[in-house]
Amino acid sequence: MPYKLSATLSAHSSDVRAVASPTESIILSASRDSTAISWKRPSPTVPFTPSSILRAGSKFVNAVQYISPSPEAPQGYAVVGGQDTVVNIFALGPAQKEDPEYSLVGHTDNVCALNISQSGTIISGSWDKTAKVWKQFQLAYDLKGHQQAVWGVLAIDDEQFLTASADKTIKYWVQHKMMRTYEGHKDAVRGLTLIPDIGFASCSNDSEIKVWTMQGDVVYTLSGHTSFVYSLSVLPNGGIVSGGEDRSVRVWQDGECVQMIVHPAISVWAVSTMPNGDIVSGCSDGIVRVFSESQDRWASAAELKEFEDHIASQALPSQQVGDVKKADLPGPDALLHPGKKPGEVKMIKNGDTVEAHQWDSATSNWQKIGDVVDAVGSGRKQLFNGKEYDYVFDVDVQEGAPPLKLPFNNPYVAAQRFLEQNDLSTNYIDEVVKFIEKNTSGVNLGASNEYVDPYTGASRYQAAGTSAVPAPSTAYMDPFTGAARYSGAPIPTPPVPSVSPSAPKIIPYAKFVSFKQVNVSAMQAKLYQFDEALRNEISTATLAMYPEELETIEEAFAYLSQVTSTTSKPSLPPLSGTHAGAIIQILERWPASQRFPMMDLSRLVVAYCADTSAPGGREQFLASLFKASDWTEVRSHGKAMSKAQETNILLLFRTVANCFQEGSPVEEGQWVFEALRHTPYELLTKVQRVALATILFNFSCAYLTTSVAREVVNQHIGLVLQLLRSNTDDAEVTYRTLVALGNVVYAGNMRGISLDSAQSAELQTVMSALPTFPDDRIRNVVSEIKALL
């Protein structure tokens, strides 16, 4: 019987990167949502449900394995590893603790692979190019020898191990000694599994699976996947199961693919097999699925049809089925002829739509697996230093010198990293970006609804900013460009006027900083992509934009396209409160991970919409943005932000900064400063702090010409003090905050409203304790403020 869907396990909110199924009643899964989940069922007729949610931190979890029960852990241990570089061990059971029982520290980069021997010896693989063997939860062996990241590990027993690497090799170890290197794959080796009575199997980014003897001979090669193969497992009958980037799980017997199980997700990151022969998969759609060849374990007919319909509704990137000319495709009659092999893919033209169908040899039918759309990026990702990229360019920077490698997923991220790694000036960033864009012309980079992948570094929601401000190195990259250059122009240091030395050199400084850079088409494409994704899912269809909302949002984009154009003047009516209201309604129901294009649209609506600048209207609008960014939760709990929260809060801060512009009222300053009063500064990224400092600076510019209640000024100074105390490493944040303080003190003096002695003394103390920055402008502005005080 063919494998069919048996169960769908939904609880993760992001990609499922690893699965383990040690028994018929336990499944373990690990996800980029920072959790691992233990799923259990008391009997085969009862559905799996989450029994434990394991969280050791806020970073991605990439690997999970199971240690069999022992007297210390009657229900066994779950072993997890991820971005935090630690291998954590949780004891499973009803009295499970929130914290791990053991934390194995030693890796210096992302832990991406785990395996356990029958007696409980752990082997871990990492981006730090090493594998480590742990016995009794203590480091036993450090396996060093690979040139790039170790993506796959296998414990043959307690003293023999295999490791697979992005350097395209597999190594065999006895204890800590490297005994043999296996070469044959043409790209990074991603996964390993033992093959009884033969040796082992490996899978690779070269799309092939190889079966080896332990002596290093290749017994046979399995070809069929059309992209990266990420994971392998072995069935009780000796068959091999594989999962990869081509949306499929494939079942292999005697060197042939006997079934291809298409998934409604691009990446099948992980596969595992149960003792009863069932297959478990983990995918980029955040879902764990179980497939069975036993008819009594199949899902209901309705569930099977829903799954098949979901697959058929997917849009399939054209590079996954080969480059073809659509005009040359056959019509539906081509499906009357049987396929030549299991999993064969055939494209047909059905009216104006190009459909992909795969041959299911188990049922002797063609199954529609999706509509074919334009390619996203290159046909196959490239590898550089063990990590995945869409392109890797050779860049000649000096005649006679070897070319430098420029890996690329996102132009501004790539350009900035390239300059930093090769010790080149950031003044060249625009030239490098132009080089990338010229050499990738025609490639659509806006078709992923994911954030930066921890493996590939891909971030396809990109748009070129318009200013040419050099980009400082930051931990967080912007949602459009991936670069800090999108954070707005730094406040420039004005030239020293030719007046007496006692005259102010910097303060008062009244030139507002705005966040108006935008690529309207990129923002619009990402927003519509998210809306379409919600609309196409039965469970989220009601969240999609209503027709009237869609019309209003289209009006906003049309107006922004005109008002930001350098070649034409706006002819459309300006934005109004109707547009702000539509944004509020959509943000209230959209999932947090898909709000960021709408949050970014808010930044521009505030800048160009008169109604939101009116007292009351703007406060309501900002209140909805604070809510949509989960600001209250982040501020109250003091825990590390999720990627969605990090992005949305950055966009919130930039929107608030745009509220305080020349001619705008500042009455809502009291409400904003109250909301920001308990900001967890230690959790903010550098660009978030720059945006926060810009809020304080822009308010101070408005205060130079607008009277504000003394209470609001005191709130502002309180935030200034907190930011100056907490910021120890970013000169731009300190400078903007100091200029904001100087403006407020100057404006108060001009109005005869000086600070009291306690405030003055506190400000003097804080400024005297500032870190030493190699920046004359900070020393100059501090001197000016002290003179004003």
Side-chain angles (χ1 to χ4, degrees):
M1 299 295 287
Y3 277 92
K4 291 191 178 183
L5 182 70
S6 174
T8 301
L9 314 184
S10 302
H12 287 294
S13 59
S14 189
D15 296 44
V16 176
R17 299 304 300 247
V19 291
S21 50
T23 72
E24 296 174 12
S25 59
I26 297 176
I27 293 175
L28 300 177
S29 58
S31 170
R32 285 175 54 194
D33 65 8
S34 78
T35 70
I37 295 179
S38 171
W39 308 79
K40 290 190 177 181
R41 62 181 178 186
S43 71
T45 59
V46 178
F48 281 101
T49 57
S51 64
S52 304
I53 297 179
L54 315 174
R55 187 191 301 269
S58 60
K59 296 189 175 181
F60 300 144
V61 183
N62 302 314
V64 65
Q65 284 292 328
Y66 179 76
I67 298 179
S68 300
S70 64
E72 296 79 18
Q75 296 192 29
Y77 290 107
V79 184
V80 301
Q83 245 186 346
D84 61 3
T85 75
V86 179
V87 178
N88 289 296
I89 292 93
F90 294 85
L92 300 175
Q96 178 194 313
K97 300 176 183 177
E98 183 175 344
D99 296 326
E101 293 285 335
Y102 304 95
S103 292
L104 312 184
V105 179
H107 284 294
T108 59
D109 209 333
N110 180 49
V111 177
C112 54
L114 290 169
N115 194 247
I116 313 291
S117 73
Q118 289 186 348
S119 61
T121 295
I122 302 168
I123 180 171
S124 56
S126 168
W127 283 11
D128 64 11
K129 307 177 186 178
T130 74
K132 298 184 187 296
V133 177
W134 314 81
K135 294 185 178 183
Q136 301 300 318
F137 309 122
Q138 299 292 326
L139 181 63
Y141 308 125
D142 211 350
L143 311 186
K144 296 181 179 180
H146 283 292
Q147 302 303 306
Q148 293 187 20
V150 177
W151 293 65
V153 293
L154 188 61
I156 300 172
D157 55 33
D158 292 342
E159 304 296 335
Q160 299 182 87
F161 312 98
L162 290 168
T163 58
S165 170
D167 64 12
K168 308 177 187 178
T169 70
I170 303 161
K171 294 184 183 294
Y172 167 64
W173 310 76
V174 176
Q175 297 182 351
H176 63 283
K177 296 179 180 179
M178 194 268 289
M179 308 299 291
R180 186 176 294 117
T181 297
Y182 306 84
E183 297 180 346
H185 281 294
K186 303 180 185 66
D187 214 328
V189 188
R190 302 296 289 259
L192 298 166
T193 190
L194 284 175
I195 305 295
D197 304 323
I198 298 179
F200 67 94
S202 60
C203 61
S204 166
N205 281 4
D206 63 13
S207 77
E208 291 188 338
I209 300 162
K210 293 184 182 295
V211 177
W212 310 73
T213 66
M214 293 304 300
Q215 289 69 40
D217 297 319
V218 177
V219 181
Y220 52 84
T221 298
L222 305 178
S223 300
H225 280 284
T226 59
S227 189
F228 299 168
V229 187
Y230 293 128
S231 181
L232 294 173
S233 191
V234 173
L235 291 163
N237 63 7
I240 296 174
V241 177
S242 59
E245 181 74 4
D246 57 4
R247 304 203 311 165
S248 75
V249 166
R250 297 182 188 234
V251 183
W252 309 81
Q253 289 283 1
D254 302 322
E256 297 290 335
C257 179
V258 296
Q259 187 176 355
M260 182 171 98
I261 307 171
V262 179
H263 284 57
I266 294 296
S267 305
V268 181
W269 292 117
V271 292
S272 179
T273 52
M274 289 183 166
N276 64 3
D278 286 357
I279 298 170
V280 181
S281 66
C283 300
S284 55
D285 60 2
I287 295 176
V288 177
R289 294 179 176 87
V290 182
F291 298 88
S292 180
E293 61 176 354
S294 175
Q295 189 170 357
D296 60 356
R297 293 197 294 273
W298 288 353
S300 67
E303 291 173 307
L304 291 174
K305 185 178 186 308
E306 181 182 351
F307 179 66
E308 292 169 358
D309 290 345
H310 192 187
I311 292 171
S313 69
Q314 298 296 297
L316 186 65
S318 60
Q319 79 271 12
Q320 293 187 10
V321 288
D323 295 325
V324 297
K325 293 181 179 180
K326 295 180 180 178
D328 297 338
L329 292 174
D333 290 347
L335 302 180
L336 299 176
H337 305 286
K340 298 177 181 178
K341 61 180 180 179
E344 178 188 352
V345 175
K346 179 178 290 189
M347 286 194 296
I348 65 165
K349 185 167 62 176
N350 190 355
D352 294 330
T353 302
V354 175
E355 299 176 351
H357 295 255
Q358 70 131 51
W359 178 250
D360 185 350
S361 59
T363 60
S364 297
N365 284 310
W366 290 99
Q367 178 189 9
K368 182 183 175 184
I369 57 174
D371 296 323
V372 179
V373 298
D374 290 336
V376 178
S378 63
R380 175 95 39 102
K381 291 185 176 70
Q382 310 294 311
L383 257 74
F384 180 67
N385 285 342
K387 300 175 185 178
E388 297 165 7
Y389 297 92
D390 292 326
Y391 299 89
V392 177
F393 297 117
D394 284 331
V395 181
D396 291 315
V397 295
Q398 183 178 344
E399 188 173 354
L404 302 177
K405 293 293 185 181
L406 170 56
F408 161 65
N409 284 304
N410 175 293
Y412 283 91
V413 174
Q416 183 176 333
R417 290 176 180 167
F418 173 73
L419 295 176
E420 290 174 352
Q421 290 169 359
N422 295 286
D423 198 25
L424 299 173
S425 170
T426 54
N427 292 332
Y428 296 120
I429 192 167
D430 287 310
E431 294 181 39
V432 177
V433 169
K434 289 177 183 177
F435 170 85
I436 294 172
E437 292 175 341
K438 177 183 177 182
N439 286 279
T440 59
S441 58
V443 175
N444 174 15
L445 297 176
S448 171
N449 63 356
E450 300 174 343
Y451 288 110
V452 175
D453 188 287
Y455 289 82
T456 68
S459 176
R460 299 188 177 93
Y461 179 29
Q462 63 91 30
T466 56
S467 68
V469 181
S473 175
T474 61
Y476 175 83
M477 301 301 173
D478 282 310
F480 283 82
T481 66
R485 73 197 300 277
Y486 181 72
S487 64
I491 305 170
T493 305
V496 178
S498 56
V499 294
S500 64
S502 61
K505 300 181 180 65
I506 299 172
I507 297 168
Y509 190 84
K511 187 177 179 180
F512 293 82
V513 174
S514 63
F515 296 102
K516 292 183 178 180
Q517 298 97 325
V518 64
N519 183 319
V520 176
S521 61
M523 183 193 299
Q524 188 174 13
K526 177 55 65 175
L527 187 63
Y528 289 172
Q529 178 194 335
F530 282 173
D531 182 65
E532 188 67 19
L534 293 171
R535 195 180 307 278
N536 288 339
E537 293 281 349
I538 296 175
S539 60
T540 59
T542 58
L543 305 180
M545 287 190 283
Y546 307 140
E548 60 272 22
E549 291 175 338
L550 185 59
E551 183 179 350
T552 302
I553 296 300
E554 287 175 345
E555 290 175 358
F557 280 123
Y559 179 79
L560 291 172
S561 295
Q562 288 192 353
V563 80
T564 58
S565 172
T566 58
T567 59
S568 61
K569 293 183 179 180
S571 59
L572 295 171
L575 303 182
S576 68
T578 302
H579 301 91
I583 291 175
I584 292 174
Q585 293 175 6
I586 295 167
L587 284 174
E588 284 178 349
R589 63 179 189 270
W590 272 28
S593 61
Q594 294 171 303
R595 292 174 193 157
F596 72 84
M598 196 65 72
M599 293 286 292
D600 214 20
L601 178 60
S602 303
R603 169 180 63 89
L604 300 171
V605 169
V606 162
Y608 295 107
C609 178
D611 280 14
T612 58
S613 295
R618 185 174 60 181
E619 182 175 334
Q620 180 186 3
F621 189 61
L622 289 178
S624 71
L625 298 183
F626 273 90
K627 180 180 179 182
S629 70
D630 292 332
W631 174 248
T632 301
E633 177 184 339
V634 170
R635 188 182 65 175
S636 302
H637 295 171
K639 295 181 179 179
M641 289 178 272
S642 67
K643 193 62 181 178
Q645 290 171 332
E646 184 177 303
T647 305
N648 291 334
I649 287 173
L650 171 64
L651 298 174
L652 165 71
F653 286 176
R654 290 179 172 173
T655 303
V656 175
N658 279 354
C659 284
F660 299 126
Q661 296 292 321
E662 186 173 3
S664 298
V666 293
E667 285 84 351
E668 282 77 24
Q670 180 175 2
W671 182 88
V672 169
F673 295 151
E674 180 61 26
L676 297 174
R677 188 160 63 93
H678 296 295
T679 296
Y681 295 92
E682 69 280 2
L683 301 181
L684 300 184
T685 63
K686 287 186 177 181
V687 287
Q688 286 175 330
R689 293 189 181 199
V690 169
L692 180 59
T694 307
I695 294 173
L696 301 177
F697 169 76
N698 281 353
F699 177 86
S700 75
C701 294
Y703 183 50
L704 290 172
T705 57
T706 306
S707 296
V708 179
R710 181 59 182 268
E711 181 182 358
V712 180
V713 174
N714 288 340
Q715 288 178 306
H716 178 272
I717 292 176
L719 288 171
V720 165
L721 287 169
Q722 292 177 48
L723 190 50
L724 289 176
R725 287 193 184 103
S726 64
N727 180 65
T728 60
D729 57 356
D730 193 295
E732 184 62 28
V733 172
T734 296
Y735 181 64
R736 293 192 188 200
T737 307
L738 286 170
V739 176
L741 174 61
N743 280 346
V744 168
V745 175
Y746 175 87
N749 288 352
M750 293 300 99
R751 294 183 174 92
I753 311 173
S754 300
L755 302 182
D756 59 43
S757 57
Q759 283 180 313
S760 296
E762 186 176 9
L763 289 170
Q764 295 274 12
T765 301
V766 170
M767 287 189 292
S768 298
L770 286 175
T772 301
F773 293 103
D775 199 333
D776 287 337
R777 61 182 184 157
I778 290 178
R779 288 189 289 273
N780 292 340
V781 76
V782 167
S783 298
E784 289 187 44
I785 296 171
K786 288 184 175 180
L788 288 171
L789 290 172

